[in-house]
Amino acid sequence: NKIDNNGNYALRLWYIENRSLTLTGNTGTGNKYNSIYLLGDLGNITLEPQGSLVYYLGISNIPVGQNLQIMPGSIFKLDNRLDVYGSLIAQGTAENPIYFTSIKDDDIGGDSNGDGDTTSPAPGDWGGR
């Protein structure tokens, strides 16, 4: 899918637990936030790199007994928390690392929060357990 000029996020998904979801091959430009916004229970799903789009996690968790598998090359930006009660499977490679960073980080994955260089990443921008 190519998701262009979609107003806010390229795509928003809430509470996608146990939906056998695999996201792959999506791209987008001209969205206020060039990201796929995920929120809520992220259990038993696989997430792959999305070309020009990054994953933006709102308050999310991986439920007990479930897993979130992240494929090499994926970029995750957070501004709140990711709580892991189940399993987070994320093994990047030297050629295709997996990034977990602040939504304010424009160096990794570009300006995903649509504010130019107004904000900069800092410790405490996101957390979890």
Side-chain angles (χ1 to χ4, degrees):
N1 298 308
K2 186 173 183 194
I3 308 163
D4 295 338
N5 304 309
N6 198 26
N8 281 321
Y9 304 99
L11 182 64
R12 285 190 275 186
L13 299 170
W14 286 274
Y15 298 94
I16 52 179
E17 173 185 11
N18 286 327
R19 302 266 170 93
S20 300
L21 177 67
T22 299
L23 293 175
T24 185
N26 296 292
T27 63
T29 59
N31 304 291
K32 181 175 182 183
Y33 312 108
N34 275 317
S35 61
I36 296 173
Y37 182 70
L38 302 174
L39 174 73
D41 295 336
L42 306 177
N44 295 335
I45 60 174
T46 300
L47 299 175
E48 297 187 16
Q50 298 299 315
S52 60
L53 300 173
V54 302
Y55 292 102
Y56 174 20
L57 298 182
I59 299 173
S60 300
N61 73 84
I62 303 167
V64 172
Q66 298 184 24
N67 66 67
L68 170 60
Q69 182 170 4
I70 299 170
M71 303 308 289
S74 298
I75 300 172
F76 287 81
K77 295 195 175 187
L78 299 93
D79 72 351
N80 213 302
R81 58 184 304 117
L82 172 62
D83 294 331
V84 180
Y85 301 104
S87 299
L88 174 61
I89 304 165
Q91 186 169 357
T93 66
E95 299 80 28
N96 292 299
I98 296 170
Y99 293 98
F100 288 88
T101 188
S102 168
I103 192 66
K104 299 174 185 174
D105 187 348
D106 295 346
D107 291 336
I108 304 297
D111 180 20
S112 304
N113 63 347
D115 72 349
D117 60 1
T118 303
T119 56
S120 299
D125 280 349
W126 62 279
R129 55 178 158 196

